[in-house]
Amino acid sequence: MAVDEIRSILGNDAVSVDSHDLDEHGYSEWSTSNTDVRPVAIVRPNSTEEVSGIAKICTKYKVPMVPYGAGSSVEGNFSSPYSGVCLDLSGMNNIVAFHPEDMDVVVQAGVNWTNLNDEIKHSGLFLPLDPSPTALVGGMIATNCSGTNAMRYGTMKDYVVNLTVVLADGSIIKTRHRPRKTSAGYNLTGLFTGSEGTLGIITEATLKLAIIPESFSVAIATFSTVKGAADAAFKMMRRGVPLAALELMDDVQMKVINKSGGAGGRMWEERPTLFLKFSGSQKAVEDNIRLAQEITKSNGCHAFESANTEDQMESLWSARKQALWANLAVRPEGTQIWSTDVAVPLSRMAELIEISKERASKLGLYNSVLGHVGDGNFHQVVMYNPDVEKQRKAVSDCVDSMMVSALEMEGTVSGEHGIGLGKKHCLQKELGPATIGVMRALKETLDPHWLLNPGKVFDK
Amino acid sequence: MAVDEIRSILGNDAVSVDSHDLDEHGYSEWSTSNTDVRPVAIVRPNSTEEVSGIAKICTKYKVPMVPYGAGSSVEGNFSSPYSGVCLDLSGMNNIVAFHPEDMDVVVQAGVNWTNLNDEIKHSGLFLPLDPSPTALVGGMIATNCSGTNAMRYGTMKDYVVNLTVVLADGSIIKTRHRPRKTSAGYNLTGLFTGSEGTLGIITEATLKLAIIPESFSVAIATFSTVKGAADAAFKMMRRGVPLAALELMDDVQMKVINKSGGAGGRMWEERPTLFLKFSGSQKAVEDNIRLAQEITKSNGCHAFESANTEDQMESLWSARKQALWANLAVRPEGTQIWSTDVAVPLSRMAELIEISKERASKLGLYNSVLGHVGDGNFHQVVMYNPDVEKQRKAVSDCVDSMMVSALEMEGTVSGEHGIGLGKKHCLQKELGPATIGVMRALKETLDPHWLLNPGKVFDK
């Protein structure tokens, strides 16, 4: 019924019930949390007004609505445990207005961030986030994504000036006008950002842009232990070395890179390694590399290597860039990757990494760590066979222990992937009933029938 | 009744009904919006639990609660139009825990930011906001304050890691743990920040800290017109010159400085002037000053002057620092200052300043402008006699026109002062009924009896 009515306003071509399409929008091999349930239809709106029309129909028939972007999230954020209609917003991919003179851009939710950056490159401006290259702006906002640039540039929430949001009942709101700074009224922009489509459907956004630095460079530094690497990293931060990125990969992850063929046309030392990115004027970059070398060297660094040419730069950074693909390439047949994400106060990160590595290694399973050290945020990747129930359970328990340890260290169960389906029980532990109670009250106010992406973040 | 019950839990000394005390907490000469109504009592809690106890009593008797910090806000944010109990949190001034290794600090709401920065200076860390020197952390968060450092460091919301909040019914929540980065659950921290005490009473916060730069310097550049100054400013921004602050004062404001005796032991050119702050390594600072000089010179700058010594630095920055005091010093007897705050997309700022100056000058009243150019945010100061109703009305109309023009330029009616009592009608124009409707629904969910700072931001 609802689907027929949606067809009548969007046209036949915009509504699909093809089983392959339903599977693709209901299941993700990237995600550790999936459900067997599928949406009843995929609808492809082209405008905020069409999304509003769909929401009105879904509310009328009390049908769940699940917004979908690129499908690159990893916690089951776009799965359809209560079925319903999946709104694929990837067709809403227009750059609505580019204001280089105001250093902002207005985009529809389906715009891909790498395409956006290509389009506006000539202006010397860019959106300085770097999640999955496939990610679309709407999903990036809904999960408050980040990546390796977060240390220098912040996370997605720091770039959202305003949002156009379709509420459950189909009404359309714009959270703000277009000033870069404001203290007028409640920060609805911030409330919808990171709410994973459970409070409203983001259809359009104004995004701040940053200046593309004049010059970049890259260096790596190897250490005997993760703790040694982390200590040197924090020393650089405290000295105020202006780093553009500060990433860590453990010995296993470096082994994986070599095993997969060695990124950047070379083989790598199999030690915990810091990947440093520098940006600014050419002279500032040179100075900062020297300072970083000095600090790492006097803090237990084995080898420090910096790039002199653009090729060397690409080569050095390629190991970090290809980390996920390398993991996929070397995983034994039949295994899957459980990739999880946690963030703790800076000083506790090395300790939690060591504990987590030890626990995962006890399972006899291949596991590696890569971290956004500057944010106290890291990912552990464990390879397991999902068909062996004992293995699946063991990995799941292992990840849960990591979450508990992170919480004991006053950390969070998700630094950048969101809660989705997979971490609801962890969020309860993190925030407790009173705080979750406030979130639930807000949810019930904005979506009284729980139709917006139900089953995510927390349950009714 | 409520006051007696509060006295019974807090003790006699913590509850005052002294009329001088009531006046001080109910009226501000800094503020353009006041009310004749006064609170019935000032209560001085010492802990989150005491605030919770007060809230329970106030909810039981349906008595309004108005949180009060330093009283430095300027839009009537802490006035008591519905009377009730004023909670003076200035006694809650403990630094609860300082974590230099995590680059954060846990403070009670009554901590003064300059005291905090003095206390932690030895660590090389600081809280990089700079509102009124008297401001307390709780109020700074409640109004999402900023100041001259915002361009480089962001606004208050960018420094709040978590909040402890007492809700209307007295329940206590903590919005998050203590990681610097998170995407776990709704951003309640962001919702309470900037909500002006209307959703809950902030009693404690964890704040991110930034690194004190190795070296600072300061320069000024004078121009023939505001537009010329703004154009040069944006050129510097687009070239990626790493400025720590980028401030503008118009010719009148420079005249005021001279008239009040000339800040920094000198007299100043009476032209639109950019005040530039640089920070980083000593070499980077020198390079950036050279680059700034080059850009301003080729963009219509009359005179560029940079500081070579710490004394010169203080002298050059003193004009910016003393702007407000200079205005107070030169105002004719019997006049008051109407200071307002607006922010627009960067490219529209110069135009709005010119329009606003022209309008205010037509009134025959003394008016000046100072702006945080890097954020498209500026203040206009108009001197008027509040006892001459015609003058008061004319200034009020003039400010309203400025708001309307800002909105036509897709700006906001408050860049950093909040809405309070004074700008409620402007916020309606800015956001419209649908968006205000969502804010109101959130308010009603968290404070169903409208007891928390009622009459602020928007009406019931």
Side-chain angles (χ1 to χ4, degrees):
Chain A
M1 282 275 277
V3 175
D4 288 341
E5 217 166 305
I6 292 170
R7 209 175 266 124
S8 76
I9 63 163
L10 258 65
N12 278 330
D13 291 352
V15 180
S16 159
V17 293
D18 173 79
S19 72
H20 180 70
D21 218 2
L22 298 180
D23 278 347
E24 239 181 16
H25 287 76
Y27 174 87
S28 162
E29 70 158 326
W30 300 99
S31 180
T32 44
S33 300
N34 276 296
T35 158
D36 293 335
V37 186
R38 295 287 172 268
V40 291
I42 314 303
V43 301
R44 294 183 163 87
N46 278 312
S47 67
T48 298
E49 289 64 34
E50 286 187 357
V51 173
S52 164
I54 297 165
K56 281 178 188 154
I57 295 167
C58 287
T59 287
K60 182 171 148 195
Y61 293 100
K62 306 285 176 287
V63 172
M65 300 166 250
V66 180
Y68 179 100
S72 57
S73 56
V74 296
E75 294 292 351
N77 316 57
F78 64 82
S79 61
S80 294
Y82 297 95
S83 189
V85 167
C86 171
L87 287 86
D88 182 331
L89 303 174
S90 60
M92 291 178 62
N93 57 0
N94 291 325
I95 296 177
V96 179
F98 176 38
H99 306 110
E101 69 286 4
D102 297 322
M103 295 173 61
D104 70 41
V105 65
V106 185
V107 294
Q108 286 187 307
V111 165
N112 168 260
W113 69 274
T114 56
N115 288 349
L116 171 66
N117 281 342
D118 284 344
E119 286 282 332
I120 64 174
K121 202 174 173 180
H122 64 276
S123 67
L125 298 168
F126 77 127
L127 179 68
L129 282 298
D130 60 344
S132 161
T134 59
L136 307 186
V137 163
M140 290 164 69
I141 297 170
T143 43
N144 186 24
C145 80
S146 40
T148 65
N149 288 345
M151 179 201 180
R152 159 78 185 272
Y153 290 99
T155 62
M156 194 66 212
K157 70 175 170 12
D158 303 314
Y159 290 85
V160 187
V161 173
N162 66 44
L163 293 172
T164 302
V165 180
V166 173
L167 301 179
D169 64 3
S171 58
I172 300 168
I173 64 162
K174 191 168 168 181
T175 55
R176 285 202 191 287
H177 280 210
R178 203 163 57 79
R180 282 173 88 81
K181 185 169 126 181
T182 177
S183 67
Y186 300 165
N187 185 4
L188 297 184
T189 313
L191 181 63
F192 287 106
T193 300
S195 68
E196 303 189 24
T198 64
L199 296 178
I201 300 169
I202 295 163
T203 59
E204 202 173 293
T206 301
L207 304 174
K208 279 185 202 181
L209 299 169
I211 304 285
I212 300 176
E214 179 191 315
S215 178
F216 275 108
S217 196
V218 160
I220 61 165
T222 60
F223 296 83
S224 300
T225 61
V226 165
K227 189 170 180 326
D231 283 351
F234 296 137
K235 289 250 164 60
M236 280 185 281
M237 288 174 70
R238 290 295 294 278
R239 271 285 288 280
V241 182
L243 296 163
L246 177 53
E247 298 282 305
L248 169 75
M249 283 164 44
D250 74 349
D251 51 330
V252 182
Q253 186 61 53
M254 297 310 293
K255 252 182 222 136
V256 167
I257 299 287
N258 284 341
K259 220 173 146 187
S260 75
R266 60 176 275 176
M267 300 306 269
W268 302 74
E269 259 199 275
E270 295 178 355
R271 288 179 190 276
T273 305
L274 288 180
F275 288 77
L276 313 174
K277 204 183 259 183
F278 304 86
S279 66
S281 72
Q282 208 179 328
K283 228 166 105 192
V285 166
E286 284 164 19
D287 284 355
N288 294 329
I289 291 180
R290 249 193 308 277
L291 187 55
Q293 178 162 21
E294 191 189 304
I295 296 171
T296 49
K297 279 287 181 190
S298 58
N299 281 280
C301 166
H302 274 272
F304 185 95
E305 193 180 340
S306 64
N308 289 315
T309 66
E310 197 143 323
D311 281 354
Q312 283 175 355
M313 208 172 100
E314 284 215 359
S315 164
L316 281 186
W317 200 254
S318 65
R320 172 62 191 84
K321 214 169 174 178
Q322 292 172 28
L324 181 61
W325 313 106
N327 281 317
L328 289 173
V330 305
R331 63 178 169 164
E333 186 145 342
T335 63
Q336 266 195 4
I337 283 177
W338 193 306
S339 162
T340 194
D341 157 46
V342 77
V344 289
L346 298 176
S347 66
R348 308 302 299 272
M349 197 197 63
E351 189 186 343
L352 184 57
I353 290 179
E354 303 281 16
I355 295 173
S356 305
K357 280 169 69 77
E358 203 186 309
R359 281 191 194 135
S361 299
K362 271 191 190 148
L363 305 180
L365 295 175
Y366 212 73
N367 68 91
S368 66
V369 163
L370 68 173
H372 308 310
V373 190
D375 304 310
N377 175 211
F378 70 91
H379 305 287
Q380 186 173 37
V381 170
V382 186
M383 293 176 199
Y384 72 108
N385 186 331
D387 300 331
V388 180
E389 176 53 27
K390 222 176 108 187
Q391 263 191 35
R392 211 202 53 76
K393 175 81 170 57
V395 177
S396 170
D397 288 350
C398 191
V399 170
D400 275 353
S401 311
M402 181 174 164
M403 297 302 140
V404 170
S405 299
L407 295 180
E408 284 166 3
M409 294 175 177
E410 296 185 72
T412 177
V413 299
S414 185
E416 55 182 22
H417 290 171
I419 298 301
L421 206 58
K423 285 189 171 169
K424 285 187 291 187
H425 61 298
C426 306
L427 188 70
Q428 298 287 332
K429 283 183 201 147
E430 178 169 340
L431 299 176
T435 305
I436 295 276
V438 171
M439 292 183 183
R440 189 174 282 122
L442 301 181
K443 165 76 175 171
E444 270 168 4
T445 302
L446 294 181
D447 180 20
H449 306 294
W450 290 66
L451 298 178
L452 289 165
N453 206 7
K456 314 302 165 59
V457 191
F458 47 77
D459 289 311
K460 197 165 174 174
Chain B
M1 280 272 278
V3 175
D4 289 340
E5 217 167 306
I6 294 171
R7 209 177 263 125
S8 76
I9 63 163
L10 258 66
N12 279 329
D13 290 353
V15 180
S16 160
V17 292
D18 174 79
S19 72
H20 180 71
D21 217 0
L22 298 181
D23 278 347
E24 238 180 19
H25 287 77
Y27 173 86
S28 162
E29 72 158 323
W30 300 99
S31 182
T32 44
S33 300
N34 278 294
T35 158
D36 293 335
V37 187
R38 294 287 173 269
V40 291
I42 314 301
V43 301
R44 293 182 163 86
N46 278 311
S47 67
T48 299
E49 288 64 34
E50 286 187 357
V51 174
S52 164
I54 296 165
K56 280 177 188 152
I57 295 167
C58 287
T59 287
K60 182 171 147 194
Y61 292 101
K62 305 286 176 287
V63 172
M65 301 169 248
V66 181
Y68 179 99
S72 56
S73 57
V74 296
E75 293 292 350
N77 316 57
F78 63 83
S79 62
S80 294
Y82 297 94
S83 188
V85 167
C86 171
L87 288 85
D88 182 332
L89 303 174
S90 61
M92 291 179 61
N93 58 359
N94 291 324
I95 296 178
V96 178
F98 176 37
H99 306 110
E101 69 285 6
D102 298 322
M103 295 173 60
D104 70 41
V105 66
V106 185
V107 294
Q108 287 187 306
V111 165
N112 167 260
W113 69 275
T114 56
N115 288 348
L116 171 66
N117 281 342
D118 283 344
E119 286 282 333
I120 64 174
K121 202 175 173 180
H122 64 276
S123 67
L125 297 168
F126 78 126
L127 179 68
L129 282 298
D130 61 344
S132 160
T134 59
L136 308 186
V137 163
M140 290 164 69
I141 298 171
T143 44
N144 187 26
C145 80
S146 39
T148 65
N149 288 344
M151 180 200 178
R152 158 78 186 271
Y153 290 100
T155 62
M156 193 67 212
K157 71 174 170 13
D158 302 315
Y159 290 84
V160 187
V161 174
N162 66 44
L163 293 172
T164 302
V165 180
V166 173
L167 301 179
D169 64 3
S171 57
I172 300 167
I173 63 161
K174 192 170 166 180
T175 56
R176 285 202 191 287
H177 280 207
R178 203 163 56 78
R180 280 173 90 80
K181 184 169 127 181
T182 177
S183 66
Y186 300 165
N187 185 3
L188 297 184
T189 313
L191 181 63
F192 287 107
T193 300
S195 67
E196 303 189 24
T198 63
L199 296 178
I201 301 168
I202 295 164
T203 59
E204 202 174 292
T206 302
L207 304 174
K208 280 186 201 180
L209 299 169
I211 304 285
I212 300 175
E214 180 192 314
S215 178
F216 275 107
S217 197
V218 160
I220 61 165
T222 59
F223 297 82
S224 301
T225 61
V226 165
K227 186 164 182 331
D231 283 350
F234 297 137
K235 290 250 164 59
M236 281 186 280
M237 287 175 69
R238 291 293 294 278
R239 272 285 289 278
V241 182
L243 295 163
L246 177 54
E247 298 282 305
L248 169 75
M249 283 164 46
D250 73 349
D251 52 329
V252 182
Q253 187 61 54
M254 297 310 293
K255 252 181 223 137
V256 167
I257 300 287
N258 284 340
K259 217 173 147 189
S260 75
R266 59 175 275 177
M267 299 308 265
W268 302 74
E269 257 199 276
E270 296 178 355
R271 289 179 189 276
T273 304
L274 287 180
F275 288 77
L276 312 175
K277 204 183 259 184
F278 303 86
S279 67
S281 71
Q282 208 178 327
K283 230 167 102 192
V285 166
E286 284 164 17
D287 284 354
N288 294 330
I289 291 180
R290 248 192 309 276
L291 187 55
Q293 179 162 20
E294 190 190 304
I295 296 171
T296 48
K297 279 288 181 189
S298 58
N299 281 281
C301 166
H302 274 272
F304 185 95
E305 193 181 339
S306 64
N308 290 314
T309 65
E310 198 144 324
D311 281 355
Q312 283 176 352
M313 206 170 100
E314 284 214 359
S315 165
L316 280 186
W317 200 254
S318 66
R320 172 61 189 88
K321 212 168 173 179
Q322 291 173 29
L324 181 61
W325 313 107
N327 281 317
L328 289 172
V330 304
R331 64 178 167 163
E333 186 145 341
T335 63
Q336 265 194 4
I337 283 179
W338 193 305
S339 163
T340 194
D341 157 42
V342 79
V344 288
L346 298 175
S347 66
R348 309 301 299 271
M349 198 195 64
E351 188 187 341
L352 184 56
I353 290 178
E354 303 281 17
I355 295 173
S356 306
K357 280 169 69 78
E358 204 187 308
R359 281 191 194 135
S361 299
K362 271 192 191 148
L363 304 180
L365 296 174
Y366 212 72
N367 69 90
S368 66
V369 163
L370 68 174
H372 309 308
V373 191
D375 305 310
N377 175 209
F378 70 93
H379 305 288
Q380 185 173 37
V381 170
V382 186
M383 294 176 199
Y384 71 108
N385 187 332
D387 300 332
V388 180
E389 177 53 26
K390 219 176 111 187
Q391 264 191 35
R392 211 203 53 75
K393 175 77 171 57
V395 177
S396 171
D397 288 349
C398 192
V399 170
D400 275 353
S401 311
M402 181 174 163
M403 297 302 141
V404 170
S405 299
L407 295 180
E408 283 166 3
M409 295 175 176
E410 297 184 71
T412 176
V413 298
S414 184
E416 56 182 21
H417 290 171
I419 298 301
L421 206 57
K423 285 190 172 169
K424 285 188 290 188
H425 61 297
C426 306
L427 187 70
Q428 299 287 333
K429 283 183 203 149
E430 177 169 342
L431 299 176
T435 304
I436 296 275
V438 170
M439 293 183 182
R440 189 175 281 122
L442 300 180
K443 165 77 175 172
E444 270 168 4
T445 302
L446 294 180
D447 180 20
H449 307 295
W450 290 66
L451 299 177
L452 289 164
N453 206 7
K456 314 301 166 58
V457 190
F458 46 78
D459 288 313
K460 196 167 177 173

